[in-house]
């Protein structure tokens, strides 16, 4: 670990950050195996510049654990239907340990049937989705993931919030290059980014949200204090958000974004909902050149003038972190250390 007081930055390696986060999770009641999974996930977000779901989330994780709303030591229960459809009850724990409890079985079933579904319920997802899907594509599979969150998005033309920020992630392997991965909230902006803007005193671009009276506002504090977010792309994004409620909650047996009641758990921040994975073995498609075709359409997209593809920025951040270490502000580093006390 190197400290540069002049620039108020503390540089850590991925392993150092993972270790620190693991100790924080364990300190606040997460079991050792679950803590290892959550720490790696959160450190990967920080490493890749997914700042709305990196260490920024640690105070939220800690206050939620301390509220008793989530069970950090939950042992997920896998329900193997014997076919391509696997169900997991996260037992009110975090989603990622529930996912890893069934992941190997899911891959086996995808190899067997050409497709597999993993439906997780009673789970808390407080992170980015790309860490869930990217490794499937690194193994040559195509993966889609859907998570619903907490009510803060108004349906298109509606008057009150109903949906969560409901992200969708997708990963597909490419030929001789890292997979193509996107990961996006169906809201115009993720709630985490609104919180960061509020903390930094920045106004948001137009069209992200409304205040408590339903009037458009660029002030993140007005959105967070009784206001709401809009879906991206008008009725189209709003319909995607609705689809995510259907897939991640109705299909899995989880709660809709507006259905769980955490009012008795002061400090709770993690949505208790569900997550659905759809994983496909592209080799079953039979054309034998799937990876080449994915690379081809990505290259054509750039040739057509798009300045970059989704995932490009993140991979550049990953390379920078590998080269230079992960730079944390001294204040953020102190915040992390304070969570060990
Ligand atoms: P962004 O809008 O920042 O990015 C969405 C996607 O678009 C990314 O794949 C990104 O790639 C890509 N992208 C961004 N800008 C461009 C561009 N100019 N050209 C091409 N591609 C671009 O993310 P969101 O705010 O929608 O979501 C942020 C995170 O929040 C996600 O990781 C999501 O999973 C998470 N989230 C989690 C929730 C939960 O319940 N757990 C709820 C809502 C969101 P790149 O990364 O390379 O910039
Ligand atoms: O950033 O919208 C968000 C979010 C919700 C739950 C976790 N992240």
């Amino acid at each position: 670990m190197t400290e540069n007081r002049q620039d108020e930055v503390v540089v850590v390696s991925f392993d150092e950050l993972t270790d620190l986060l693991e100790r924080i999770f364990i300190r606040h009641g997460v079991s050792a195996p679950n803590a290892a999974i959550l720490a790696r996930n959160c450190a990967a977000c920080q490493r890749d510049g997914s700042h709305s779901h990196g260490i920024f989330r640690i105070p939220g994780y800690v206050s939620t654990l301390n509220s008793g709303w989530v069970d950090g030591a939950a042992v997920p229960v896998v329900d193997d239907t014997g076919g391509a459809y696997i169900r997991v009850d996260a037992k009110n724990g975090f989603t990622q340990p529930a996912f890893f409890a069934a992941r190997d079985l899911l891959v086996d079933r995808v190899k067997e049937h050409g497709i597999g579904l993993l439906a997780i319920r009673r789970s808390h997802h407080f992170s980015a989705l790309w860490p869930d899907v990217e490794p499937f594509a690194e193994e040559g599979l195509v993966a889609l993931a859907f998570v619903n969150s907490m009510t803060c998005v108004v349906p298109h033309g509606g008057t009150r919030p109903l949906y969560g920020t409901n992200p969708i992630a997708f990963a597909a392997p490419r030929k001789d290059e890292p997979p193509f991965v996107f990961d996006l909230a169906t809201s115009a902006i993720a709630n985490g980014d609104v919180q960061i803007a509020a903390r930094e005193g920045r106004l948001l671009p137009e069209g992200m949200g409304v205040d408590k009276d339903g009037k458009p506002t660029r002030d993140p504090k007005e959105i967070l204090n009784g206001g709401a977010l809009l879906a991206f792309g008008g009725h189209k994004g709003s319909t995607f958000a609705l689809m995510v409620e259907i897939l991640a909650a109705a299909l899995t047996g989880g709660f809709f974004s507006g259905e769980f009641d955490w009012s008795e758990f002061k400090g709770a921040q993690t949505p208790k909902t569900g997550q659905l994975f759809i994983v496909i073995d592209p080799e079953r498609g039979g054309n034998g050149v799937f990876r080449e075709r994915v690379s081809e359409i990505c290259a054509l997209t750039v040739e057509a003038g798009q300045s970059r593809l989704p995932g490009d920025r993140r991979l550049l951040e990953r390379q920078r972190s590998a080269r230079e270490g992960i730079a944390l502000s001294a204040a953020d580093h102190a915040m992390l250390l304070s969570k060990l006390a």
Side-chain angles (χ1 to χ4, degrees):
M1 186 184 310
T2 49
E3 283 200 51
N4 183 342
R5 285 277 161 213
Q6 205 183 355
D7 298 321
E8 306 260 334
V9 161
V10 179
V11 178
V12 293
S13 69
F14 178 72
D15 288 346
E16 284 169 337
L17 182 57
T18 305
D19 177 69
L20 174 56
L21 296 176
E22 200 171 325
R23 287 187 286 129
I24 293 170
F25 282 120
I26 289 172
R27 163 76 184 76
H28 294 278
V30 179
S31 63
N34 291 357
I37 291 169
L38 293 176
R40 203 175 162 76
N41 176 288
C42 185
C45 288
Q46 191 69 26
R47 176 199 66 198
D48 279 23
S50 295
H51 292 298
S52 60
H53 292 83
I55 61 167
F56 165 73
R57 289 287 174 181
I58 289 298
Y61 276 111
V62 167
S63 72
T64 306
L65 284 159
N66 293 343
S67 77
W69 168 241
V70 66
D71 180 0
V75 178
V77 174
V78 178
D79 175 12
D80 179 4
T81 66
Y85 201 129
I86 301 160
R87 306 177 74 222
V88 186
D89 183 346
K91 294 279 177 186
N92 195 35
F94 290 105
T95 315
Q96 291 83 1
F99 167 53
F100 279 107
R103 192 187 184 284
D104 288 350
L105 181 63
L106 174 64
V107 171
D108 287 349
R109 292 297 153 81
V110 173
K111 297 279 164 65
E112 191 181 340
H113 300 286
I115 189 164
L117 268 79
L118 178 58
I120 303 173
R121 66 189 185 283
R122 296 180 67 200
S123 51
H124 298 244
H125 203 302
F126 204 44
S127 183
L129 265 67
W130 65 261
D132 303 342
V133 295
E134 185 180 68
F136 286 115
E138 286 167 348
E139 292 172 48
L141 303 172
V142 176
L144 276 155
F146 309 87
V147 171
N148 64 313
S149 63
M150 68 289 246
T151 293
C152 59
V153 176
V154 194
H156 181 65
T159 52
R160 62 185 170 81
L162 176 66
Y163 306 139
T165 44
N166 296 7
I168 299 174
F170 172 83
R174 284 187 286 194
K175 181 75 178 164
D176 300 329
E177 55 183 330
F180 169 70
V181 180
F182 76 73
D183 175 15
L184 51 86
T186 51
S187 48
I189 184 170
N191 199 288
D193 282 321
V194 182
Q195 290 179 45
I196 290 174
R199 190 172 75 170
E200 294 175 353
R202 276 189 287 111
L203 286 180
L204 299 173
E206 301 280 356
M208 304 283 117
V210 292
D211 67 14
K212 61 179 173 18
D213 302 316
K215 294 208 186 70
T217 180
R218 294 182 59 202
D219 183 343
K221 290 188 179 140
E222 287 188 341
I223 292 174
L224 295 171
N225 297 327
L229 291 170
L230 301 174
F232 81 85
H235 66 279
K236 299 185 185 187
S238 184
T239 307
F240 274 19
L242 169 56
M243 178 191 71
V244 174
E245 297 287 339
I246 293 169
L247 292 177
L251 194 69
T252 64
F255 287 125
F256 291 131
S257 297
E259 211 169 25
F260 54 86
D261 179 9
W262 52 9
S263 56
E264 300 293 308
F265 297 84
K266 200 168 168 337
Q269 294 185 30
T270 60
K272 180 175 170 175
T273 56
Q275 178 168 15
L276 183 80
F277 288 90
I278 302 172
V279 181
I280 300 162
D281 180 358
E283 295 307 316
R284 295 295 188 99
N287 66 14
V289 288
F290 179 75
R291 287 168 185 255
E292 288 83 347
R293 294 288 283 161
V294 178
S295 286
E296 187 183 346
I297 190 63
C298 287
L300 287 170
T301 301
V302 174
E303 270 176 51
Q306 182 162 321
S307 61
R308 73 165 176 97
L309 291 172
D312 285 356
R313 178 201 61 87
R314 214 170 37 71
L315 291 183
L316 286 175
E317 286 291 317
R318 184 180 300 179
Q319 286 163 11
R320 189 158 68 111
S321 295
R323 238 181 9 251
E324 301 169 14
I326 303 170
L328 308 179
S329 73
D332 280 344
H333 188 246
M335 175 277 290
L336 292 180
L337 294 182
S338 76
K339 301 299 177 197
L340 286 173

